[in-house]
Amino acid sequence: MKIICFGRNYAEHAREFDNQVPDFPIFFLKPDTSIITRNRPFFYPDFSQDIHYETELVIRINRLGKHIDPGFAHRYYQELTVGIDFTARDLQKKCKQNGWPWEIAKGFEGSAPLGRFIDKSQFEDIQQIAFGLEINGETVQSGNTREMIFSFDHLIAYVSRYFTLKTGDLLFTGTPAGVGPVQIEDRLRAYVEDQVLLDFRVK
Ligand code: ZN
C-alpha cells in the first residue's frame, strides 16, 4: 500500500509559501507506517520543533489501474475521508535549502492521521465538498474541493501514468490555505461538510 500526497493543489496555499501554482500535479510518498487510525494520539517527535498540520481530503483507491483515462478515473475510488499531512517544517526547510529529499520531513511515524471513511455517493458533487480543521474548538483551516487546481480525477489519471495504483492506495489531495503549527495537548477535529471524521490529540 502506498500513500501519495499532492502538494500545491490549492492556489491560496501555494501562495502562502511563495510557490508558483504548478501546471501539472506535484506529489511525494509517505510510508504506510505514517498512518494513524481510530483517533489514536499523535506523539510529537523529538527531532522537530515545528510540526505543522495540513488538512486534506483523502481518497482510497478501490481497484488496480494504470494509465487511467481521466474520464474513467471516478471508477477507481468510492470512499473518502479527511486526513492530516503532518510536516516537520523545520526539517523540510533544511532539506529544501540543501536540495535533499524531503521524506524525513513528511513521512515520519504518525505523520498521516486518517479519519473514518465515508461513501462518496452521499455527495451530490464531489468537486463541491467543504472540509476543515478545528484546533481546541477554533477553526484554523477550511477549504472546498471546488478550489482544487487539479480535480480528483485528474490526480488519479496523472499519477497512474507513473505508478500502478492498487486497491488500498491513498491519495492525499492537497491542503487549502491556513496551515500552521501544533502543540502538545492540542485537540484536532477535522470535518467533511458537517461530519467530524477525525478527532485526536497531540501528545
Ligand atoms: Zn500536504
Side-chain angles (χ1 to χ4, degrees):
M1 195 273 278
K2 53 191 175 293
I3 305 168
I4 301 158
C5 304
F6 291 89
R8 303 183 199 173
N9 200 25
Y10 286 78
E12 287 285 305
H13 169 63
R15 283 187 213 109
E16 39 180 20
F17 282 85
D18 280 333
N19 286 321
Q20 287 194 324
V21 174
D23 44 22
F24 49 87
I26 293 169
F27 64 87
F28 58 89
L29 303 182
K30 292 190 191 235
D32 56 6
T33 48
S34 61
I35 293 175
I36 300 178
T37 55
R38 291 186 222 147
N39 294 330
R40 282 186 288 237
F42 168 72
F43 291 93
Y44 204 107
D46 59 7
F47 50 73
S48 174
Q49 280 73 53
D50 198 22
I51 300 287
H52 280 209
Y53 57 82
E54 295 186 0
T55 311
E56 313 200 3
L57 285 187
V58 181
I59 57 178
R60 179 154 63 193
I61 297 298
N62 65 355
R63 58 165 80 185
L64 188 90
K66 58 171 87 177
H67 298 288
I68 298 165
D69 186 283
F72 295 113
H74 65 278
R75 297 184 186 174
Y76 287 80
Y77 71 104
Q78 189 60 40
E79 292 183 313
L80 63 89
T81 189
V82 63
I84 307 294
D85 166 20
F86 273 132
T87 305
R89 203 64 82 193
D90 43 359
L91 296 187
Q92 187 191 35
K93 204 168 152 196
K94 197 171 163 191
C95 291
K96 280 185 177 175
Q97 278 166 356
N98 290 284
W100 296 337
W102 271 14
E103 273 75 5
I104 58 164
K106 284 285 197 180
F108 53 88
E109 199 78 7
S111 62
L114 267 186
R116 171 172 60 82
F117 278 88
I118 54 175
D119 198 286
K120 70 176 182 183
S121 62
Q122 63 180 271
F123 303 103
E124 210 165 292
D125 181 354
I126 199 86
Q127 293 301 152
Q128 300 256 12
I129 301 177
F131 66 102
L133 176 69
E134 283 178 7
I135 299 184
N136 307 326
E138 199 178 308
T139 300
V140 293
Q141 254 192 310
S142 63
N144 191 297
T145 56
R146 80 170 92 87
E147 300 152 7
M148 290 170 81
I149 298 169
F150 302 107
S151 66
F152 293 121
D153 293 350
H154 190 129
L155 297 176
I156 288 171
Y158 182 79
V159 77
S160 74
R161 288 165 55 190
Y162 300 93
F163 301 155
T164 296
L165 291 175
K166 295 170 90 170
T167 301
D169 287 349
L170 300 173
L171 274 62
F172 277 66
T173 60
T175 193
V179 301
V182 292
Q183 317 295 341
I184 290 172
E185 292 304 320
D186 279 349
R187 180 178 179 186
L188 280 69
R189 296 174 90 226
Y191 54 87
V192 174
E193 295 290 347
D194 54 1
Q195 303 176 73
V196 174
L197 301 180
L198 177 61
D199 183 351
F200 68 101
R201 279 187 188 276
V202 179
K203 300 253 177 186

